Amino acid sequence: MSDRIDIHLPETAEPLRDAIRRLRWFRQALDRQLDDLRAETGLSFAVDDRKLAQIFVNWLREVDAQKPKDASARRAYFDFVSGLMLRDLLREMPLQAGPLPPQADTTQPEYFWPEGFALTLFCLNVRAAVIEQEFNAETTLAPEFFSLRQWWTFKENVTQDSATAIGFFDVFAGNHPDWQMPDSFRHRLNAVLIEQAKAARLTE
Amino acid sequence: MTLRHTLPRLDPAPLKDMARSLRFVAERGGKTLKSALPLDVLPDPAARVADAALDAVLKVGQGAERGVTALAHALLDRDEAPPTLSRPEDAEAEARFATAAHDGLRAALAHLGAESALVSEMAARRAWQAVTGAGSGQEDTATAAALFLGLIATHCLREAIWPETFALPAAEAARIATFAVLLSMLSDAAGFRALLPAAVDITLALRADLAAAGEDPALLAALFDEFRNHV
């Protein structure tokens, strides 16, 4: 797997930022992700559609509730809501992986934690596709994404506090994580502003 | 000179309702008999006699079902899209809505797990007449809310057969299916059938909100408005 994100999502005539907020497209996109992963790794998954719909509805409501009025925060908000989606998916876990294929190497993240890996990759892919479409920008995976040690910590932490999934998502996406209040966009924005002010003082 | 008679156009909806009722009764009768007869505890030869009798009854039911199914299909089973809820004055809107409501409700109930369901097209028509007769010009989500209440009030869903393990109360399942059908129509009238499974699952996820909305048209319209673009 390369550090460049390979985007393979269902076609849509709508902007992806709108398509992802339609349950039918969201399901198709996840199914395609799982199909790709199955072809590449031999892993198989069962999806609980009802659970997925509940996660989707809760996520939509939180996306609307935290939506910033300031248009300049859009890019940061796309990053944030992608992590938020991962938090909700991991918390409720709509996937169940089948038995590992015979050649599975459990020192590889995808075999170490198949469900977590599939959902994380899905959220990273959707984020990458939206950012490419909205901002004409390419995204890559951070080296931490390929580290088993990182995945071990990720799984351990998410089991205790699902909100930490947003921080790990940022690490994998190469962003600065907010570990204090990861599921508050306002707190995240404030942290970014403080960092920017510090950097400005250093360059003066 | 040739005489031309203008024949009144046949309205198939009452006949279709009748044919569907017959089919439903045949279906339900067969299932009830099968589950009610204690064949496994009867001693021989009583068991063999009862088994043969049940077989004969089921064959009659299946024959009736085949006949009425053919009749129901022959009576104008069109696959037309429902009218856009913002334009209730469109041509044949009432009939198109009723057919779509019938098909949609059956599909939604099946997605919820119903083994069989009896839905009245005439009741859907009455709901449409009551809502659009009050005048157009309101928001389509308000129309959807009024239709939701109308379809429930007219008992458009006459009866459904649920598996024994089904956990939802029947009345709640009817509200969920009805809401899902109207949500699909609001989302995309032309493609509403393909949207139904997602609409049912969204409505199930909104179970508590739908129960809290009760019979309040404003709350129901707000719920339609919140989710119409998310199916």
Side-chain angles (χ1 to χ4, degrees):
Chain A
M1 191 170 281
S2 77
D3 63 348
R4 198 186 174 284
I5 295 180
D6 183 22
I7 303 163
H8 185 208
L9 295 170
E11 281 189 14
T12 170
E14 288 184 305
L16 288 172
R17 65 170 189 276
D18 292 331
I20 193 61
R21 292 185 298 148
R22 290 189 187 274
L23 180 60
R24 202 159 73 116
W25 191 89
F26 181 84
R27 277 176 173 171
Q28 287 171 350
L30 179 60
D31 283 347
R32 184 168 289 190
Q33 175 73 75
L34 297 178
D35 283 345
D36 288 352
L37 202 54
R38 189 177 299 123
E40 202 174 322
T41 64
L43 290 166
S44 62
F45 299 93
V47 184
D48 183 333
D49 278 337
R50 296 266 159 90
K51 206 181 250 189
L52 191 64
Q54 185 71 64
I55 295 164
F56 177 78
V57 162
N58 296 345
W59 175 73
L60 277 180
R61 285 187 154 162
E62 189 144 1
V63 167
D64 277 344
Q66 295 206 45
K67 193 173 182 178
K69 290 191 175 72
D70 182 0
S72 66
R74 274 180 84 230
R75 165 79 192 250
Y77 198 57
F78 284 130
D79 284 334
F80 174 71
V81 297
S82 307
L84 208 56
M85 183 194 289
L86 180 62
R87 179 202 65 179
D88 293 354
L89 288 166
L90 292 179
R91 186 169 57 197
E92 305 299 331
M93 190 43 81
L95 298 188
Q96 188 166 6
L100 293 181
Q103 79 282 10
D105 172 3
T106 52
T107 63
Q108 298 296 314
E110 60 268 40
Y111 298 116
F112 166 71
W113 186 21
E115 294 95 339
F117 184 85
L119 293 171
T120 305
L121 195 60
F122 171 64
C123 293
L124 283 165
N125 274 341
V126 171
R127 168 189 168 269
V130 172
I131 284 175
E132 185 180 302
Q133 193 176 70
E134 293 290 320
F135 303 99
N136 199 22
E138 255 194 25
T139 52
T140 54
L141 293 168
E144 287 85 348
F145 183 78
F146 304 95
S147 154
L148 180 66
R149 186 184 166 82
Q150 194 70 232
W151 278 90
W152 189 88
T153 317
F154 178 22
K155 188 177 180 185
E156 193 79 1
N157 277 275
V158 164
T159 310
Q160 288 162 19
D161 177 5
S162 59
T164 58
I166 301 169
F168 282 96
F169 184 81
D170 283 326
V171 170
F172 293 148
N175 289 334
H176 188 70
D178 171 13
W179 295 111
Q180 276 187 321
M181 293 176 70
D183 44 13
S184 161
F185 184 63
R186 180 162 293 278
H187 189 270
R188 182 189 184 102
L189 262 192
N190 288 341
V192 169
L193 290 174
I194 290 166
E195 286 299 316
Q196 283 174 348
K198 273 186 198 165
R201 273 200 299 275
L202 284 173
T203 54
E204 277 172 8
Chain B
M1 190 176 164
T2 318
L3 282 174
R4 288 190 182 176
H5 296 283
T6 310
L7 293 172
R9 197 165 164 232
L10 176 71
D11 181 0
L15 290 170
K16 282 162 81 178
D17 267 5
M18 186 201 68
R20 287 170 181 143
S21 299
L22 286 169
R23 180 173 60 185
F24 184 77
V25 167
E27 265 178 22
R28 191 184 52 186
K31 280 177 182 148
T32 308
L33 265 176
K34 209 169 191 174
S35 62
L37 286 178
L39 292 177
D40 49 340
V41 295
L42 278 179
D44 235 14
R48 263 186 292 131
V49 173
D51 203 20
L54 173 63
D55 203 37
V57 171
L58 289 179
K59 273 189 184 135
V60 170
Q62 282 159 3
E65 188 186 338
R66 270 198 299 277
V68 292
T69 301
L71 175 63
H73 280 299
L75 291 172
L76 202 66
D77 253 355
R78 294 179 302 184
D79 204 20
E80 264 189 289
T84 308
L85 296 186
S86 56
R87 291 201 308 269
E89 65 283 358
D90 278 1
E92 295 191 332
E94 180 186 309
R96 282 161 54 207
F97 171 76
T99 305
H102 168 270
D103 296 352
L105 271 173
R106 277 179 58 88
L109 290 160
H111 189 71
L112 279 172
E115 291 169 354
S116 182
L118 178 62
V119 177
S120 166
E121 216 170 301
M122 287 305 290
R125 279 187 171 212
R126 281 199 300 279
W128 178 266
Q129 286 160 5
V131 170
T132 57
S136 57
Q138 61 181 355
E139 292 283 325
D140 55 359
T141 48
T143 302
L147 284 169
F148 172 82
L149 295 171
L151 290 170
I152 299 290
T154 55
H155 300 287
C156 186
L157 168 58
R158 292 279 190 257
E159 215 175 325
I161 300 173
W162 298 100
E164 281 176 20
T165 50
F166 190 67
L168 273 179
E172 193 179 357
R175 281 173 64 89
I176 287 171
T178 307
F179 188 91
V181 168
L182 291 160
L183 184 64
S184 298
M185 288 183 185
L186 274 175
S187 185
D188 176 15
F192 98 99
R193 284 176 174 81
L195 295 179
L196 269 173
V200 170
D201 288 345
I202 284 183
T203 311
L204 266 175
L206 295 172
R207 202 178 149 188
D209 300 73
L210 188 58
E215 312 294 312
D216 185 328
L219 289 178
L220 289 164
L223 209 51
F224 278 124
D225 195 40
E226 186 182 355
F227 284 93
R228 65 181 305 171
N229 293 323
H230 299 306
V231 184

